[in-house]
Amino acid sequence: MASSLFKFFTFLLLGFFFSLMTPTVNAKILRYKWEVKYQFKAPDCYRKLVIAINGKTPGPTILAQQNDTIIVELKNSLLTENVAIHWHGIRQIETPWSDGTEGVSQCPITPGDTFVYKFIVDRPGTYLYHAHYGMQREAGLYGSIRVSVPDGKTEPFTYDYDRSIILTDWWHQSTYEQATGLSSIPFKWVNEPQSLLIQGKGRFNCSLVTPSSSNISEICNASDPECGHYVLTVVPGKTYRLRIASLTSLSALNFEIEGHNMTVVEADGHYVEPFIIKDLHIYSGETYSVLVKADQDPSRNYWATTNVVSREPKTPTGLAIFNYYPNHPRNTPPTPPTTGPHWNDADIRLAQSRKIKSHKGYIHQPPLTSDRVIILLNTQNTINGYTRWSVNNVSFSLPHTPYLIALKENLTHVFDQTPPPETYDYANYDIYSKPNNTNASSTNSIYRLKFNSTVDIILQNANTMNPKNSETHPWHLHGHDFWVLGYGVGVFDPVNDPKKYNLVDPIMKNTVPVHPYGWTALRFRADNPGVWAFHCHIEAHYYLGMGVVFEEGVEKVGKLPSSIMGCGETKGLKGP
Ligand code: C2O
Ligand code: CU
């Protein structure tokens, strides 16, 4: 009797412990084998070399659930080129060496090598991956990560179907021609993209290709099945969650589905207090979920369009077809494609940025004060005649030895130990005129943050080296989400502007724009041991120095895998 009672209680107790463990039991390990390779492809009908994963660009979509472990075995088959892949929006808690940022978290993966990325997707939401080495991202090495809530958990909205759409801009020049032009005297700008791609597809007007001795139809062929309009087929009456992301190299975009409203419900993995829009402004590195109901006249198809904003567009509208089932997916909509808002209307872009607030039921309360304020002036400058982008008139350059390894192994001589400037001379600097900083400097020094401290970052925009010009810069932070405390026009006032911060329901994000001649205020907790890049997500801007690096709690980082080593001063550390 006593023993059976004992067994019964043991049984109850075990049951209790197993129920505690359930979330871990459900978490899965997802394994992927990817081969990265150059291939000839014609995403916009113009054939050129692209970097594909397992033969595809965009690469495979990672479909995971919260708390799953992702293992990507990445084989570099580029033959003569290094590679590294960053998991954009994944915080890499306890795995800072898997962040995939060449020069910061790892050495590049050399040709023929296989590198294993292993990390946990700890939050539901819409994320991305892309190359983080040189300007490789714009050669087509990117894709989506979709993390859903665990079984039985709900979200603050419902829908019938879930779709991922990545928007990109596309050039016919190779990334090497671009990178070389950018780092030459005279400076050669990349110019505006030839096409806008929606989920890797577009259509360039092949009649613009200059005829040459070679066969034009081999270079540009409008009926190539690889190009054309991306088709999004919808069932009338159903609601779609569209996970819209931008990985443009340059362009700020507007996205619109003709005749359909969109309800914004998620931004960078955080639930948004829903609001309805006709068109969405999206900056490189941002992700949004919008709900769209297929509630219009089902007898026809509609255009989904994307247009360049913030720079004077020289690129045709990117087109996709919003196809009502059972209409034929190739049935062209009877109306002309929408052309979006005026490209230079900065007010409506600022107004949309300000609308994005945390969902009332999911507010993460920000700390009410901060321990440190870093102001970053966004400008251009020149160094020895070379055009660069800069923060606080200092242009960033990556060292040969990745910071994470240098700091863990105490290799203090591999980068400049003097901290970069904390602010700029805001009392005297004129953000509205062309900077007089022809002899600016470059640095590879970093900001070292006190572990667990609260840090405010003020992005202050200013004039470029061209008269009457200020650009939109989307800034992306690795390893964290930040609270977006506010946006402003003109010069940030460190005394009065903080009084207007939104400390009630700010959205958390990992990427945020600073609008022309404006400022954006962010706050984050330096609570993720590691070394993290914070940079403008425009490929050419980061390449030419528009970024900084933060270190926090590096002494708490576990033993580094030797697979991240092998370059710079870490050659001897790699082992067999
Ligand atoms: Cu999506 Cu450091 O970038
Ligand atoms: Cu920029």
Side-chain angles (χ1 to χ4, degrees):
M1 176 71 192
S3 104
S4 72
L5 205 64
F6 175 76
K7 271 185 197 151
F8 177 69
F9 278 113
T10 320
F11 176 76
L12 274 189
L13 214 64
L14 276 177
F16 173 69
F17 279 117
F18 273 116
S19 73
L20 277 185
M21 280 168 60
T22 323
T24 353
V25 169
N26 280 348
K28 301 177 294 300
I29 296 179
L30 303 175
R31 287 174 193 277
Y32 299 85
K33 267 192 196 319
W34 287 0
E35 187 181 21
V36 174
K37 226 177 170 174
Y38 269 108
Q39 291 190 296
F40 285 104
K41 280 193 181 292
D44 68 344
C45 306
Y46 184 95
R47 195 152 292 270
K48 63 166 280 192
L49 273 181
V50 308
I51 303 180
I53 298 174
N54 297 349
K56 298 202 308 187
T57 170
T61 297
I62 293 183
L63 296 175
Q65 263 182 316
Q66 187 176 8
N67 298 323
D68 286 351
T69 299
I70 309 290
I71 300 177
V72 178
E73 263 180 54
L74 189 80
K75 178 161 200 296
N76 177 5
S77 294
L78 296 178
L79 304 180
T80 58
E81 198 174 321
N82 297 331
V83 75
I85 294 189
H86 168 56
W87 315 93
H88 178 115
I90 309 299
R91 290 174 298 173
Q92 301 291 354
I93 293 166
E94 290 174 13
T95 53
W97 47 77
S98 276
D99 192 45
T101 312
E102 187 274 329
V104 177
S105 65
Q106 72 169 105
C107 289
I109 307 163
T110 49
D113 274 2
T114 297
F115 184 92
V116 180
Y117 288 104
K118 182 177 178 193
F119 55 90
I120 293 173
V121 285
D122 61 341
R123 281 174 316 152
T126 308
Y127 308 101
L128 299 160
Y129 63 83
H130 61 78
H132 215 297
Y133 179 67
M135 290 176 62
Q136 263 175 358
R137 187 180 91 214
E138 68 172 57
L141 186 41
Y142 64 86
S144 303
I145 304 175
R146 192 195 290 173
V147 184
S148 52
V149 291
D151 294 339
K153 257 199 109 184
T154 55
E155 296 186 280
F157 47 84
T158 56
Y159 50 88
D160 301 301
Y161 298 100
D162 201 341
R163 302 273 183 272
S164 298
I165 297 175
I166 306 187
L167 309 176
T168 48
D169 43 10
W170 193 249
W171 281 260
H172 294 162
Q173 259 192 340
S174 75
T175 52
Y176 287 102
E177 286 172 280
Q178 296 204 348
T180 306
L182 292 169
S183 36
S184 296
I185 298 177
F187 176 72
K188 198 171 165 295
W189 176 235
V190 300
N191 295 324
E192 297 303 310
Q194 274 69 56
S195 298
L196 298 178
L197 306 185
I198 299 179
Q199 197 54 14
K201 279 187 137 192
R203 176 175 279 169
F204 182 72
N205 178 357
C206 287
S207 70
L208 297 174
V209 177
T210 0
S212 69
S213 51
S214 60
N215 188 352
I216 296 175
S217 69
E218 274 174 25
I219 304 168
C220 197
N221 177 356
S223 49
D224 193 320
E226 281 177 14
C227 63
H229 304 316
Y230 174 70
V231 177
L232 197 89
T233 301
V234 297
V235 175
K238 297 291 181 192
T239 298
Y240 289 78
R241 175 182 190 168
L242 304 183
R243 298 173 186 255
I244 302 168
S246 169
L247 278 177
T248 55
S249 294
L250 174 66
S251 317
L253 296 176
N254 182 268
F255 177 83
E256 172 171 5
I257 300 170
E258 181 190 9
H260 294 73
N261 283 334
M262 305 185 267
T263 307
V264 180
V265 293
E266 182 222 334
D268 296 2
H270 291 274
Y271 298 127
V272 169
E273 184 63 23
F275 62 96
I276 296 171
I277 47 174
K278 184 178 97 17
D279 54 88
L280 174 76
H281 286 101
I282 184 164
Y283 307 91
S284 183
E286 286 192 315
T287 69
Y288 289 97
S289 284
V290 299
L291 301 181
V292 180
K293 190 164 189 209
D295 58 1
Q296 297 301 302
D297 173 8
S299 69
R300 52 162 290 193
N301 289 340
Y302 298 81
W303 291 114
T305 57
T306 186
N307 285 286
V308 172
V309 290
S310 172
R311 308 176 64 86
E312 188 174 356
K314 299 196 171 70
T315 312
T317 300
L319 300 174
I321 292 179
F322 200 66
N323 162 233
Y324 271 69
Y325 183 82
N327 299 331
H328 195 278
R330 303 255 165 264
N331 273 1
T332 311
T335 35
T338 48
T339 50
H342 189 259
W343 69 271
N344 206 15
D345 190 340
D347 294 346
I348 58 168
R349 296 199 300 278
L350 178 63
Q352 193 191 77
S353 294
R354 283 180 164 149
K355 266 195 214 161
I356 304 162
K357 304 275 173 60
S358 171
H359 189 286
K360 293 274 184 283
Y362 293 82
I363 295 174
H364 295 270
Q365 186 63 49
L368 297 181
T369 56
S370 73
D371 303 305
R372 184 171 174 184
V373 181
I374 299 173
I375 305 184
L376 302 175
L377 177 74
N378 287 224
T379 52
Q380 272 181 304
N381 59 26
T382 55
I383 300 176
N384 301 325
Y386 291 97
T387 299
R388 303 277 298 185
W389 271 260
S390 61
V391 284
N392 293 339
N393 292 328
V394 179
S395 188
F396 176 72
S397 58
L398 281 169
H400 289 296
T401 303
Y403 294 108
L404 181 60
I405 312 172
L407 289 163
K408 274 301 273 185
E409 307 289 337
N410 270 314
L411 309 170
T412 49
H413 59 288
V414 299
F415 68 92
D416 185 355
Q417 300 291 305
T418 16
E422 201 82 2
T423 184
Y424 72 107
D425 182 10
Y426 50 80
N428 297 305
Y429 189 94
D430 178 9
I431 65 159
Y432 297 101
S433 58
K434 183 173 170 288
N436 176 26
N437 49 0
T438 44
N439 246 328
S441 59
S442 118
T443 188
N444 58 20
S445 69
I446 65 173
Y447 295 95
R448 307 201 60 171
L449 308 175
K450 190 161 171 284
F451 186 65
N452 264 332
S453 63
T454 301
V455 181
D456 282 4
I457 303 289
I458 314 299
L459 297 164
Q460 174 67 60
N461 215 337
N463 209 93
T464 62
M465 299 283 280
N466 298 314
K468 298 220 174 328
N469 175 248
S470 181
E471 301 169 297
T472 302
H473 302 285
W475 280 78
H476 171 61
L477 179 59
H478 291 217
H480 310 76
D481 296 322
F482 44 72
W483 289 274
V484 184
L485 300 185
Y487 296 89
V489 177
V491 181
F492 175 77
D493 172 350
V495 176
N496 293 304
D497 285 328
K499 294 176 190 157
K500 294 175 248 159
Y501 283 168
N502 174 11
L503 298 170
V504 178
D505 57 359
I507 188 72
M508 295 192 85
K509 293 187 99 251
N510 59 57
T511 307
V512 78
V514 60
H515 295 286
Y517 302 114
W519 55 264
T520 303
L522 318 174
R523 178 167 290 176
F524 71 97
R525 287 284 300 268
D527 57 1
N528 189 7
V531 190
W532 309 105
F534 178 51
H535 61 90
C536 174
H537 216 262
I538 291 178
E539 196 84 316
H541 293 184
Y542 175 55
Y543 182 68
L544 291 180
M546 190 163 245
V548 298
V549 166
F550 298 122
E551 173 276 326
E552 72 217 33
V554 77
E555 65 290 342
K556 295 185 170 57
V557 171
K559 190 176 172 339
L560 300 180
S562 61
S563 59
I564 65 170
M565 303 184 189
C567 59
E569 300 282 305
T570 71
K571 289 195 187 79
L573 300 169
K574 185 152 175 130

